Structures are given as C-alpha cells and as structure tokens.
Amino acid sequence: MNYDLNFSALLIVIPLIPAFFAGIFISMKLLEMAKNIENLTPRQIVSELDKYIIGQNDAKKMLL
C-alpha cells in the first residue's frame, strides 16, 4: 500500500471538511426558513438569506 499517496489525499480532503459541514448547516437553515416562508415578508426573507449567504443579491431578488 502506498502511504504517501493516502497521506497526500488526506491533506487535500481535510481542509474541505469544515466547508462540507457548513454547507449542510446552511442547507438545514434554508429548509427551516422555507417551511415558514409564507409568514415572512419579502424584506424578512432577504434578511434571513443575508444571515447565511453573502452577496448574490440578484439571485435573492429572483426568489421574490
């Protein structure tokens, strides 16, 4: 077994782990918001999106 190759792969994968879990967290928060979206005004929706998504203003406007 080539341990050098496996170690190199770990060096690539390990830094990606926090981003992976952050993506899951954001997805869960957006799903939670989607359940309550009928009770939110457009301004409140954008405010909630701003908590988890930086920028992407044109995309946020398309949702409204």
Side-chain angles (χ1 to χ4, degrees):
M1 187 174 232
N2 186 346
Y3 290 104
D4 292 333
L5 179 61
N6 291 338
F7 183 72
S8 297
L10 282 176
L11 290 177
I12 294 169
V13 171
I14 288 175
L16 300 176
I17 292 172
F20 173 77
F21 284 109
I24 291 173
F25 173 78
I26 291 170
S27 296
M28 289 172 49
K29 286 295 186 179
L30 291 175
L31 285 172
E32 181 181 315
M33 187 188 78
K35 291 178 184 176
N36 299 320
I37 202 163
E38 295 174 355
N39 300 326
L40 299 175
T41 66
R43 191 173 299 236
Q44 289 171 319
I45 293 170
V46 171
S47 176
E48 287 296 312
L49 290 172
D50 285 340
K51 291 178 185 177
Y52 307 105
I53 301 173
I54 298 169
Q56 304 294 327
N57 292 328
D58 289 339
K60 291 174 190 172
K61 288 178 186 176
M62 293 298 291
L63 293 174
L64 307 174

